[in-house]
């Protein structure tokens, strides 16, 4: 479904602590720019498992609305 999303992109391996750190960064940006999340966070991983960590592309997405 289409809509407005807030997205943060990061590289390297993704684990629970890294995902939580990136969610906090995304939340901070949303608050500074007067947006609020309206759905659950979604994780997106774009590379096969054997891709070297420094070349991996990961994203955290959340549907947003203006405050």
């Amino acid at each position: 479904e289409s809509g407005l999303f807030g997205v943060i992109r990061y590289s390297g391996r993704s684990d629970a602590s890294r995902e939580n750190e990136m969610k906090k960064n995304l939340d901070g940006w949303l608050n500074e720019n007067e947006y609020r999340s309206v759905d659950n966070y979604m994780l997106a991983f774009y590379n096969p498992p054997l891709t070297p960590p420094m070349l991996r592309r990961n994203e955290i997405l959340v549907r947003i609305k203006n405050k």
Side-chain angles (χ1 to χ4, degrees), residues 22-40:
M22 292 295 115
K23 286 178 190 176
K24 287 180 186 177
N25 291 343
L26 180 55
D27 283 339
W29 186 89
L30 293 175
N31 287 331
E32 288 174 14
N33 292 281
E34 299 184 8
Y35 290 103
R36 63 180 176 89
S37 60
V38 294
D39 208 349
N40 294 329

Side-chain angles (χ1 to χ4, degrees), residues 8-67:
I8 189 165
R9 179 179 172 178
Y10 60 101
S11 61
R13 294 201 185 273
S14 191
D15 58 16
S17 66
R18 181 72 189 252
E19 291 164 7
N20 287 333
E21 176 188 346
M22 292 295 115
K23 286 178 190 176
K24 287 180 186 177
N25 291 343
L26 180 55
D27 283 339
W29 186 89
L30 293 175
N31 287 331
E32 288 174 14
N33 292 281
E34 299 184 8
Y35 290 103
R36 63 180 176 89
S37 60
V38 294
D39 208 349
N40 294 329
Y41 290 94
M42 296 174 275
L43 302 173
F45 309 105
Y46 296 99
N47 305 105
L50 297 178
T51 302
M54 66 277 200
L55 299 177
R56 289 181 185 222
R57 178 179 165 205
N58 311 300
E59 293 179 346
I60 298 178
L61 305 92
V62 65
R63 188 179 305 275
I64 60 175
K65 283 189 177 181
N66 288 329
K67 285 187 176 177

